Amino acid sequence: MPTSSKREAAAAAGGVDLGVAGPAAGDAGRVGVIDGLRVLAMLWVFYHHAYSAAGTPGLSFSAFGRTFDAFHVLRMSAGVDLFMVISGFCLFYPLVRRPGGLAGFEARRFYLKRFWRLSPAYYAAIVFVVLQPVALVLLYRALGRDADWQPLPDLWQWVTHLTYTHSLFPSTWGGINPSFWAIGLFAQLYLVFPLVVAAVRRWGLLGTLGAMAGLSIAYDLVAQPLVAGAGFETQMVVQTFFVGYWIQFAAGMAAAWVVANDRIRVHAAAAAALLVLAVGVYAAWSLLPGDWPSRSRHAALAASFGPLIVGLAYATPPVRWCFANRAVSRLAVVSFTVYLIHQPTLWYFSEFCRKELALTGGPLLVAIFTGGLAATLVTATAFYFVAERPFYRRSKRYRMTREPSPAAAPASVPAPGADRPRLPVSAGA
């Protein structure tokens, strides 16, 4: 629908017209800037682990009476948190961009779609991560070089990882691949997502999001102090339980409702203000003293990344293009695969640079940032075509919703603060 027609339709429906810029969406209602945000999250996670693999070299400077680290943004990596908000957006957006989406939601279809989207690539990545050191040892020994065998995962590691329960136990949380903890977290969120949809249909969007945020904040306030003196793995099991991340998932859902709702129009200036807010909240959070960044992580990053999505969706075309162009879209395609295999890949690359090239400190960091990323992208691309793409295509056969009957009244998301009115939703501009 042309922008002028959308504005007129919104005005006729009594909607709020906040400007002229609309979100960039594809023909199927896919919001293009999400691709750029996926790539940002992917690189954020990669460079955080690359920085650790290089030995966290410091580059400090003083300002405002304090000492800052130039790599502070990598120390305070929030890539998984951004993925979390994106996930809430992507799961909820299809349900609110078309009439009847929420009413037609079916849990069975949703679980089938998520299984074929997630499980084949994840299971293949487990095998890849286990066999990768075996292949490298064989290669080194074939070249006449010394190489030590790595221990193989025990049965309990296999059982918990294959059932997505590894992030619930300290002994398996960082077992086969430390990055896999997030896969267990996402599985928990997918498991309860049908309950979230049922709550939205019964109590409305505002009540449901408020309950999710409230439970998340309460969980962090109670659970984190209880394990403050425990071991690292125990703390991480508690901190990465899905209830703590619910507020971020809710922020993505809220952003999806705003972007899909024709009654809300966001001016480019308002979009710019949202982007400034997103950056400002993140900066303020990352500079908090003591353990406050950890204690406030979930809520603060929800308040940053939710506005970030809306701000980018309604930003000016040049800004949107930075997050929604062909090169970015191609990188976004392999973002999930990169996440699955990047950590062991860049670690072995860093070991090669240390032992064979005698690189340390800054030169090692540069090598991992460049050559390590290239090696990871090449490996992930091959992995994608073999282990992810065929099953991703199969997942697209399953829609989360059944097709509404022609006589059915379109059900849509209750507006926050209203008594469940029927609101028009669309795929965007």
Side-chain angles (χ1 to χ4, degrees), residues 75-134:
R75 291 181 185 274
M76 305 298 294
S77 175
V80 172
D81 303 84
L82 180 54
F83 272 128
M84 187 63 53
V85 179
I86 292 172
S87 183
F89 181 94
C90 291
L91 290 185
F92 199 58
Y93 184 73
L95 302 182
V96 295
R97 71 181 174 88
R98 63 168 64 91
L102 279 171
F105 177 83
E106 289 187 355
R108 184 184 67 86
R109 293 170 181 256
F110 169 75
Y111 287 140
L112 283 171
K113 186 176 183 68
R114 287 294 93 194
F115 174 84
W116 287 110
R117 179 67 185 94
L118 180 71
S119 296
Y122 168 58
Y123 291 156
I126 293 176
V127 176
F128 174 85
V129 170
V130 171
L131 295 182
Q132 187 179 34
V134 175

Short mmCIF file of all heavy atoms in Angstrom, two decimals, residues 75-134:
data_model
loop_
_atom_site.label_atom_id
_atom_site.label_comp_id
_atom_site.label_asym_id
_atom_site.label_seq_id
_atom_site.Cartn_x
_atom_site.Cartn_y
_atom_site.Cartn_z
N ARG A 75 34.20 -6.72 25.34
CA ARG A 75 34.10 -7.31 26.68
C ARG A 75 32.63 -7.44 27.08
O ARG A 75 32.23 -8.41 27.71
CB ARG A 75 34.83 -6.45 27.70
CG ARG A 75 36.35 -6.43 27.56
CD ARG A 75 36.94 -5.55 28.67
NE ARG A 75 38.36 -5.38 28.55
CZ ARG A 75 39.27 -6.22 29.04
NH1 ARG A 75 38.87 -7.30 29.67
NH2 ARG A 75 40.56 -5.99 28.88
N MET A 76 31.85 -6.44 26.76
CA MET A 76 30.44 -6.40 27.15
C MET A 76 29.57 -6.93 26.01
O MET A 76 28.56 -6.34 25.66
CB MET A 76 30.03 -4.97 27.51
CG MET A 76 30.88 -4.33 28.57
SD MET A 76 30.79 -5.20 30.16
CE MET A 76 29.08 -4.92 30.56
N SER A 77 29.96 -8.04 25.43
CA SER A 77 29.23 -8.57 24.28
C SER A 77 27.76 -8.78 24.59
O SER A 77 27.40 -9.33 25.63
CB SER A 77 29.84 -9.91 23.84
OG SER A 77 29.09 -10.47 22.80
N ALA A 78 26.92 -8.33 23.70
CA ALA A 78 25.48 -8.50 23.86
C ALA A 78 24.87 -9.11 22.61
O ALA A 78 23.69 -8.92 22.32
CB ALA A 78 24.83 -7.15 24.16
N GLY A 79 25.69 -9.87 21.86
CA GLY A 79 25.19 -10.46 20.62
C GLY A 79 24.05 -11.42 20.84
O GLY A 79 23.04 -11.39 20.11
N VAL A 80 24.15 -12.30 21.85
CA VAL A 80 23.07 -13.25 22.10
C VAL A 80 21.81 -12.51 22.55
O VAL A 80 20.69 -12.90 22.19
CB VAL A 80 23.51 -14.29 23.15
CG1 VAL A 80 22.33 -15.15 23.57
CG2 VAL A 80 24.62 -15.17 22.59
N ASP A 81 21.97 -11.45 23.33
CA ASP A 81 20.81 -10.66 23.76
C ASP A 81 20.10 -10.05 22.56
O ASP A 81 18.87 -10.01 22.51
CB ASP A 81 21.26 -9.57 24.72
CG ASP A 81 22.00 -10.12 25.92
OD1 ASP A 81 23.21 -10.34 25.79
OD2 ASP A 81 21.38 -10.33 26.97
N LEU A 82 20.87 -9.57 21.58
CA LEU A 82 20.26 -9.04 20.37
C LEU A 82 19.54 -10.14 19.60
O LEU A 82 18.43 -9.94 19.09
CB LEU A 82 21.33 -8.38 19.50
CG LEU A 82 20.85 -7.75 18.18
CD1 LEU A 82 19.72 -6.77 18.42
CD2 LEU A 82 22.01 -7.06 17.48
N PHE A 83 20.16 -11.31 19.51
CA PHE A 83 19.48 -12.45 18.88
C PHE A 83 18.16 -12.76 19.59
O PHE A 83 17.18 -13.14 18.96
CB PHE A 83 20.38 -13.70 18.92
CG PHE A 83 21.32 -13.83 17.76
CD1 PHE A 83 22.68 -14.04 17.98
CD2 PHE A 83 20.86 -13.77 16.45
CE1 PHE A 83 23.55 -14.18 16.91
CE2 PHE A 83 21.73 -13.91 15.38
CZ PHE A 83 23.09 -14.11 15.61
N MET A 84 18.15 -12.60 20.90
CA MET A 84 16.95 -12.89 21.68
C MET A 84 15.81 -11.95 21.32
O MET A 84 14.66 -12.38 21.10
CB MET A 84 17.26 -12.77 23.18
CG MET A 84 16.14 -13.22 24.09
SD MET A 84 15.77 -14.96 23.90
CE MET A 84 17.40 -15.67 24.14
N VAL A 85 16.11 -10.66 21.23
CA VAL A 85 15.08 -9.68 20.87
C VAL A 85 14.62 -9.92 19.43
O VAL A 85 13.42 -9.85 19.13
CB VAL A 85 15.61 -8.25 21.05
CG1 VAL A 85 14.55 -7.23 20.65
CG2 VAL A 85 16.02 -8.02 22.51
N ILE A 86 15.55 -10.23 18.54
CA ILE A 86 15.20 -10.53 17.15
C ILE A 86 14.28 -11.74 17.09
O ILE A 86 13.32 -11.77 16.31
CB ILE A 86 16.48 -10.79 16.32
CG1 ILE A 86 17.28 -9.50 16.16
CG2 ILE A 86 16.13 -11.36 14.95
CD1 ILE A 86 18.64 -9.71 15.52
N SER A 87 14.55 -12.75 17.90
CA SER A 87 13.72 -13.95 17.91
C SER A 87 12.29 -13.63 18.32
O SER A 87 11.33 -14.11 17.71
CB SER A 87 14.32 -14.99 18.85
OG SER A 87 13.58 -16.19 18.82
N GLY A 88 12.13 -12.82 19.37
CA GLY A 88 10.79 -12.42 19.77
C GLY A 88 10.06 -11.68 18.67
O GLY A 88 8.86 -11.88 18.43
N PHE A 89 10.80 -10.82 17.95
CA PHE A 89 10.22 -10.08 16.83
C PHE A 89 9.79 -11.03 15.71
O PHE A 89 8.66 -10.97 15.22
CB PHE A 89 11.23 -9.07 16.30
CG PHE A 89 10.73 -8.25 15.15
CD1 PHE A 89 10.17 -7.00 15.37
CD2 PHE A 89 10.82 -8.71 13.85
CE1 PHE A 89 9.69 -6.24 14.31
CE2 PHE A 89 10.36 -7.96 12.78
CZ PHE A 89 9.79 -6.73 13.02
N CYS A 90 10.70 -11.92 15.32
CA CYS A 90 10.44 -12.77 14.15
C CYS A 90 9.34 -13.80 14.40
O CYS A 90 8.61 -14.16 13.47
CB CYS A 90 11.73 -13.48 13.73
SG CYS A 90 12.97 -12.37 13.02
N LEU A 91 9.20 -14.28 15.62
CA LEU A 91 8.14 -15.24 15.90
C LEU A 91 6.78 -14.57 16.01
O LEU A 91 5.76 -15.15 15.63
CB LEU A 91 8.45 -16.01 17.19
CG LEU A 91 9.62 -16.99 17.13
CD1 LEU A 91 9.71 -17.76 18.44
CD2 LEU A 91 9.47 -17.95 15.97
N PHE A 92 6.76 -13.36 16.54
CA PHE A 92 5.48 -12.69 16.76
C PHE A 92 4.99 -11.90 15.54
O PHE A 92 3.79 -11.77 15.32
CB PHE A 92 5.59 -11.75 17.97
CG PHE A 92 4.27 -11.37 18.58
CD1 PHE A 92 3.40 -12.34 19.04
CD2 PHE A 92 3.90 -10.04 18.70
CE1 PHE A 92 2.18 -12.00 19.61
CE2 PHE A 92 2.69 -9.69 19.27
CZ PHE A 92 1.83 -10.67 19.72
N TYR A 93 5.92 -11.41 14.75
CA TYR A 93 5.55 -10.57 13.61
C TYR A 93 4.61 -11.26 12.63
O TYR A 93 3.61 -10.66 12.18
CB TYR A 93 6.81 -10.07 12.90
CG TYR A 93 6.55 -9.12 11.77
CD1 TYR A 93 6.16 -7.81 12.01
CD2 TYR A 93 6.71 -9.51 10.45
CE1 TYR A 93 5.93 -6.92 10.98
CE2 TYR A 93 6.49 -8.64 9.40
CZ TYR A 93 6.10 -7.34 9.67
OH TYR A 93 5.87 -6.48 8.64
N PRO A 94 4.85 -12.53 12.24
CA PRO A 94 3.92 -13.18 11.31
C PRO A 94 2.50 -13.31 11.87
O PRO A 94 1.54 -13.41 11.11
CB PRO A 94 4.54 -14.56 11.07
CG PRO A 94 5.97 -14.40 11.42
CD PRO A 94 6.01 -13.40 12.53
N LEU A 95 2.38 -13.33 13.20
CA LEU A 95 1.06 -13.49 13.81
C LEU A 95 0.27 -12.19 13.85
O LEU A 95 -0.96 -12.23 13.97
CB LEU A 95 1.22 -14.05 15.23
CG LEU A 95 1.94 -15.39 15.36
CD1 LEU A 95 1.97 -15.82 16.82
CD2 LEU A 95 1.28 -16.45 14.50
N VAL A 96 0.96 -11.05 13.79
CA VAL A 96 0.25 -9.78 13.91
C VAL A 96 0.23 -8.98 12.61
O VAL A 96 -0.44 -7.95 12.54
CB VAL A 96 0.86 -8.90 15.03
CG1 VAL A 96 0.67 -9.56 16.39
CG2 VAL A 96 2.35 -8.64 14.78
N ARG A 97 0.93 -9.44 11.60
CA ARG A 97 0.94 -8.66 10.36
C ARG A 97 -0.22 -9.00 9.45
O ARG A 97 -0.44 -8.32 8.45
CB ARG A 97 2.26 -8.88 9.60
CG ARG A 97 2.43 -10.24 8.97
CD ARG A 97 3.78 -10.33 8.28
NE ARG A 97 4.06 -11.66 7.75
CZ ARG A 97 3.71 -12.07 6.55
NH1 ARG A 97 3.00 -11.29 5.77
NH2 ARG A 97 4.03 -13.29 6.15
N ARG A 98 -0.98 -10.04 9.77
CA ARG A 98 -2.14 -10.37 8.95
C ARG A 98 -3.34 -10.65 9.85
O ARG A 98 -3.19 -11.19 10.95
CB ARG A 98 -1.86 -11.59 8.06
CG ARG A 98 -1.60 -12.86 8.82
CD ARG A 98 -1.62 -14.07 7.89
NE ARG A 98 -0.56 -14.01 6.92
CZ ARG A 98 0.65 -14.54 7.12
NH1 ARG A 98 0.92 -15.11 8.28
NH2 ARG A 98 1.57 -14.47 6.19
N PRO A 99 -4.54 -10.28 9.43
CA PRO A 99 -5.73 -10.57 10.23
C PRO A 99 -5.88 -12.07 10.46
O PRO A 99 -5.65 -12.89 9.57
CB PRO A 99 -6.88 -10.03 9.36
CG PRO A 99 -6.24 -9.01 8.48
CD PRO A 99 -4.86 -9.52 8.20
N GLY A 100 -6.25 -12.42 11.66
CA GLY A 100 -6.48 -13.82 11.99
C GLY A 100 -5.23 -14.59 12.34
O GLY A 100 -5.31 -15.79 12.61
N GLY A 101 -4.06 -13.93 12.36
CA GLY A 101 -2.83 -14.65 12.63
C GLY A 101 -2.80 -15.26 14.02
O GLY A 101 -2.44 -16.43 14.18
N LEU A 102 -3.18 -14.49 15.03
CA LEU A 102 -3.18 -15.02 16.39
C LEU A 102 -4.24 -16.08 16.59
O LEU A 102 -4.00 -17.11 17.21
CB LEU A 102 -3.39 -13.89 17.39
CG LEU A 102 -2.15 -13.06 17.74
CD1 LEU A 102 -2.54 -11.84 18.56
CD2 LEU A 102 -1.15 -13.90 18.51
N ALA A 103 -5.43 -15.83 16.04
CA ALA A 103 -6.53 -16.79 16.20
C ALA A 103 -6.21 -18.11 15.51
O ALA A 103 -6.65 -19.17 15.95
CB ALA A 103 -7.82 -16.20 15.64
N GLY A 104 -5.43 -18.05 14.42
CA GLY A 104 -5.12 -19.27 13.68
C GLY A 104 -3.86 -19.98 14.12
O GLY A 104 -3.49 -21.00 13.53
N PHE A 105 -3.19 -19.47 15.15
CA PHE A 105 -1.94 -20.09 15.60
C PHE A 105 -2.19 -21.50 16.10
O PHE A 105 -3.12 -21.75 16.86
CB PHE A 105 -1.32 -19.25 16.71
CG PHE A 105 -0.07 -19.86 17.30
CD1 PHE A 105 1.15 -19.67 16.69
CD2 PHE A 105 -0.13 -20.61 18.46
CE1 PHE A 105 2.31 -20.22 17.22
CE2 PHE A 105 1.02 -21.17 19.01
CZ PHE A 105 2.24 -20.98 18.39
N GLU A 106 -1.33 -22.44 15.68
CA GLU A 106 -1.42 -23.82 16.13
C GLU A 106 -0.07 -24.27 16.66
O GLU A 106 0.95 -24.19 15.95
CB GLU A 106 -1.87 -24.74 15.00
CG GLU A 106 -3.32 -24.56 14.59
CD GLU A 106 -3.77 -25.61 13.59
OE1 GLU A 106 -2.91 -26.42 13.14
OE2 GLU A 106 -4.96 -25.63 13.25
N ALA A 107 -0.05 -24.75 17.88
CA ALA A 107 1.20 -25.15 18.52
C ALA A 107 1.89 -26.27 17.76
O ALA A 107 3.12 -26.27 17.61
CB ALA A 107 0.93 -25.57 19.96
N ARG A 108 1.13 -27.24 17.26
CA ARG A 108 1.74 -28.36 16.55
C ARG A 108 2.50 -27.88 15.33
O ARG A 108 3.63 -28.31 15.07
CB ARG A 108 0.66 -29.37 16.15
CG ARG A 108 1.22 -30.63 15.48
CD ARG A 108 0.09 -31.53 15.00
NE ARG A 108 -0.66 -30.91 13.93
CZ ARG A 108 -0.32 -30.98 12.64
NH1 ARG A 108 0.78 -31.64 12.28
NH2 ARG A 108 -1.06 -30.40 11.72
N ARG A 109 1.88 -27.00 14.55
CA ARG A 109 2.55 -26.46 13.36
C ARG A 109 3.81 -25.68 13.76
O ARG A 109 4.84 -25.77 13.10
CB ARG A 109 1.59 -25.54 12.59
CG ARG A 109 0.40 -26.24 11.96
CD ARG A 109 -0.59 -25.20 11.46
NE ARG A 109 -1.77 -25.80 10.85
CZ ARG A 109 -2.00 -25.86 9.54
NH1 ARG A 109 -1.09 -25.37 8.71
NH2 ARG A 109 -3.08 -26.41 9.06
N PHE A 110 3.69 -24.92 14.84
CA PHE A 110 4.81 -24.13 15.30
C PHE A 110 5.99 -25.01 15.70
O PHE A 110 7.14 -24.76 15.30
CB PHE A 110 4.38 -23.26 16.48
CG PHE A 110 5.52 -22.59 17.19
CD1 PHE A 110 6.16 -21.50 16.64
CD2 PHE A 110 5.96 -23.06 18.42
CE1 PHE A 110 7.23 -20.88 17.29
CE2 PHE A 110 7.01 -22.46 19.08
CZ PHE A 110 7.65 -21.37 18.51
N TYR A 111 5.72 -26.07 16.48
CA TYR A 111 6.79 -26.95 16.92
C TYR A 111 7.45 -27.66 15.74
O TYR A 111 8.68 -27.83 15.71
CB TYR A 111 6.25 -27.98 17.92
CG TYR A 111 5.92 -27.40 19.27
CD1 TYR A 111 4.78 -27.79 19.96
CD2 TYR A 111 6.77 -26.48 19.88
CE1 TYR A 111 4.48 -27.28 21.21
CE2 TYR A 111 6.47 -25.96 21.13
CZ TYR A 111 5.32 -26.36 21.80
OH TYR A 111 5.03 -25.85 23.03
N LEU A 112 6.65 -28.10 14.77
CA LEU A 112 7.22 -28.75 13.59
C LEU A 112 8.12 -27.79 12.82
O LEU A 112 9.22 -28.17 12.38
CB LEU A 112 6.10 -29.27 12.68
CG LEU A 112 5.41 -30.55 13.13
CD1 LEU A 112 4.20 -30.84 12.25
CD2 LEU A 112 6.38 -31.74 13.07
N LYS A 113 7.66 -26.56 12.66
CA LYS A 113 8.45 -25.56 11.94
C LYS A 113 9.76 -25.28 12.66
O LYS A 113 10.84 -25.22 12.05
CB LYS A 113 7.65 -24.27 11.80
CG LYS A 113 8.33 -23.20 10.94
CD LYS A 113 7.42 -22.00 10.78
CE LYS A 113 8.07 -20.96 9.87
NZ LYS A 113 8.18 -21.43 8.48
N ARG A 114 9.70 -25.12 13.99
CA ARG A 114 10.91 -24.85 14.76
C ARG A 114 11.85 -26.05 14.76
O ARG A 114 13.07 -25.89 14.72
CB ARG A 114 10.53 -24.50 16.21
CG ARG A 114 9.91 -23.15 16.41
CD ARG A 114 10.89 -22.03 16.12
NE ARG A 114 10.82 -21.55 14.74
CZ ARG A 114 11.72 -20.79 14.17
NH1 ARG A 114 12.79 -20.41 14.81
NH2 ARG A 114 11.57 -20.42 12.92
N PHE A 115 11.29 -27.26 14.79
CA PHE A 115 12.15 -28.45 14.79
C PHE A 115 12.96 -28.52 13.51
O PHE A 115 14.18 -28.70 13.55
CB PHE A 115 11.31 -29.72 14.94
CG PHE A 115 12.12 -30.98 14.82
CD1 PHE A 115 12.80 -31.49 15.91
CD2 PHE A 115 12.22 -31.65 13.59
CE1 PHE A 115 13.57 -32.64 15.79
CE2 PHE A 115 12.99 -32.80 13.47
CZ PHE A 115 13.66 -33.30 14.57
N TRP A 116 12.31 -28.38 12.37
CA TRP A 116 13.02 -28.50 11.11
C TRP A 116 13.93 -27.30 10.85
O TRP A 116 14.91 -27.41 10.12
CB TRP A 116 12.04 -28.69 9.95
CG TRP A 116 11.42 -30.05 9.95
CD1 TRP A 116 10.12 -30.35 10.22
CD2 TRP A 116 12.08 -31.28 9.67
NE1 TRP A 116 9.93 -31.71 10.14
CE2 TRP A 116 11.11 -32.30 9.80
CE3 TRP A 116 13.38 -31.64 9.33
CZ2 TRP A 116 11.42 -33.64 9.59
CZ3 TRP A 116 13.69 -32.97 9.13
CH2 TRP A 116 12.71 -33.95 9.25
N ARG A 117 13.62 -26.18 11.45
CA ARG A 117 14.48 -25.00 11.28
C ARG A 117 15.73 -25.11 12.14
O ARG A 117 16.81 -24.66 11.74
CB ARG A 117 13.69 -23.73 11.65
CG ARG A 117 14.50 -22.45 11.53
CD ARG A 117 14.86 -22.16 10.09
NE ARG A 117 15.73 -21.01 9.96
CZ ARG A 117 17.06 -21.08 9.91
NH1 ARG A 117 17.68 -22.27 9.99
NH2 ARG A 117 17.79 -19.99 9.77
N LEU A 118 15.61 -25.68 13.32
CA LEU A 118 16.69 -25.64 14.31
C LEU A 118 17.45 -26.96 14.42
O LEU A 118 18.68 -26.98 14.37
CB LEU A 118 16.12 -25.26 15.67
CG LEU A 118 17.09 -25.16 16.85
CD1 LEU A 118 17.98 -23.94 16.69
CD2 LEU A 118 16.32 -25.09 18.17
N SER A 119 16.74 -28.07 14.56
CA SER A 119 17.36 -29.31 15.00
C SER A 119 18.35 -29.92 14.01
O SER A 119 19.45 -30.33 14.43
CB SER A 119 16.28 -30.34 15.35
OG SER A 119 15.52 -29.89 16.45
N PRO A 120 18.04 -30.05 12.72
CA PRO A 120 19.02 -30.70 11.84
C PRO A 120 20.37 -29.98 11.83
O PRO A 120 21.43 -30.64 11.93
CB PRO A 120 18.34 -30.64 10.46
CG PRO A 120 16.88 -30.61 10.77
CD PRO A 120 16.78 -29.77 12.00
N ALA A 121 20.36 -28.66 11.72
CA ALA A 121 21.63 -27.92 11.71
C ALA A 121 22.33 -28.03 13.06
O ALA A 121 23.56 -28.18 13.13
CB ALA A 121 21.38 -26.45 11.37
N TYR A 122 21.57 -27.97 14.14
CA TYR A 122 22.16 -28.07 15.47
C TYR A 122 22.78 -29.44 15.70
O TYR A 122 23.92 -29.56 16.18
CB TYR A 122 21.09 -27.77 16.52
CG TYR A 122 21.46 -28.11 17.94
CD1 TYR A 122 22.58 -27.54 18.54
CD2 TYR A 122 20.69 -29.00 18.68
CE1 TYR A 122 22.92 -27.86 19.85
CE2 TYR A 122 21.02 -29.32 19.98
CZ TYR A 122 22.14 -28.75 20.56
OH TYR A 122 22.47 -29.07 21.86
N TYR A 123 22.05 -30.51 15.36
CA TYR A 123 22.59 -31.85 15.53
C TYR A 123 23.82 -32.06 14.66
O TYR A 123 24.80 -32.69 15.07
CB TYR A 123 21.52 -32.89 15.20
CG TYR A 123 20.40 -32.96 16.20
CD1 TYR A 123 19.14 -33.44 15.85
CD2 TYR A 123 20.58 -32.54 17.52
CE1 TYR A 123 18.10 -33.52 16.76
CE2 TYR A 123 19.55 -32.60 18.44
CZ TYR A 123 18.31 -33.09 18.06
OH TYR A 123 17.29 -33.15 18.97
N ALA A 124 23.78 -31.56 13.43
CA ALA A 124 24.95 -31.66 12.56
C ALA A 124 26.13 -30.89 13.14
O ALA A 124 27.29 -31.31 13.03
CB ALA A 124 24.61 -31.14 11.17
N ALA A 125 25.85 -29.74 13.78
CA ALA A 125 26.92 -28.95 14.39
C ALA A 125 27.55 -29.69 15.56
O ALA A 125 28.76 -29.59 15.79
CB ALA A 125 26.37 -27.60 14.85
N ILE A 126 26.75 -30.44 16.32
CA ILE A 126 27.31 -31.24 17.42
C ILE A 126 28.32 -32.23 16.86
O ILE A 126 29.45 -32.37 17.37
CB ILE A 126 26.19 -31.98 18.18
CG1 ILE A 126 25.29 -30.97 18.91
CG2 ILE A 126 26.79 -32.97 19.17
CD1 ILE A 126 24.11 -31.61 19.61
N VAL A 127 27.94 -32.94 15.80
CA VAL A 127 28.84 -33.91 15.19
C VAL A 127 30.08 -33.21 14.64
O VAL A 127 31.21 -33.68 14.79
CB VAL A 127 28.11 -34.69 14.08
CG1 VAL A 127 29.08 -35.63 13.35
CG2 VAL A 127 26.94 -35.47 14.65
N PHE A 128 29.88 -32.05 14.00
CA PHE A 128 30.99 -31.30 13.44
C PHE A 128 31.98 -30.89 14.52
O PHE A 128 33.21 -31.06 14.37
CB PHE A 128 30.47 -30.06 12.72
CG PHE A 128 31.54 -29.13 12.23
CD1 PHE A 128 32.15 -29.33 11.01
CD2 PHE A 128 31.94 -28.04 13.00
CE1 PHE A 128 33.15 -28.49 10.56
CE2 PHE A 128 32.94 -27.18 12.56
CZ PHE A 128 33.54 -27.41 11.33
N VAL A 129 31.48 -30.36 15.63
CA VAL A 129 32.35 -29.89 16.71
C VAL A 129 33.11 -31.05 17.34
O VAL A 129 34.27 -30.91 17.73
CB VAL A 129 31.52 -29.13 17.77
CG1 VAL A 129 32.34 -28.85 19.01
CG2 VAL A 129 30.98 -27.84 17.18
N VAL A 130 32.47 -32.24 17.45
CA VAL A 130 33.14 -33.40 18.03
C VAL A 130 34.21 -33.94 17.09
O VAL A 130 35.30 -34.33 17.54
CB VAL A 130 32.09 -34.50 18.36
CG1 VAL A 130 32.78 -35.79 18.75
CG2 VAL A 130 31.18 -34.03 19.48
N LEU A 131 33.94 -33.95 15.80
CA LEU A 131 34.87 -34.53 14.83
C LEU A 131 35.95 -33.55 14.38
O LEU A 131 36.98 -33.98 13.85
CB LEU A 131 34.11 -35.05 13.62
CG LEU A 131 33.16 -36.22 13.86
CD1 LEU A 131 32.52 -36.67 12.56
CD2 LEU A 131 33.88 -37.39 14.52
N GLN A 132 35.73 -32.26 14.55
CA GLN A 132 36.69 -31.27 14.08
C GLN A 132 38.09 -31.48 14.67
O GLN A 132 39.08 -31.54 13.91
CB GLN A 132 36.19 -29.86 14.40
CG GLN A 132 37.02 -28.74 13.80
CD GLN A 132 36.45 -27.38 14.12
OE1 GLN A 132 35.88 -27.16 15.21
NE2 GLN A 132 36.58 -26.44 13.20
N PRO A 133 38.25 -31.64 15.98
CA PRO A 133 39.60 -31.87 16.51
C PRO A 133 40.17 -33.21 16.07
O PRO A 133 41.40 -33.34 15.90
CB PRO A 133 39.40 -31.81 18.03
CG PRO A 133 37.97 -32.10 18.25
CD PRO A 133 37.26 -31.52 17.07
N VAL A 134 39.33 -34.22 15.87
CA VAL A 134 39.81 -35.52 15.39
C VAL A 134 40.43 -35.36 14.00
O VAL A 134 41.53 -35.87 13.73
CB VAL A 134 38.66 -36.55 15.36
CG1 VAL A 134 39.14 -37.86 14.75
CG2 VAL A 134 38.10 -36.77 16.76
#
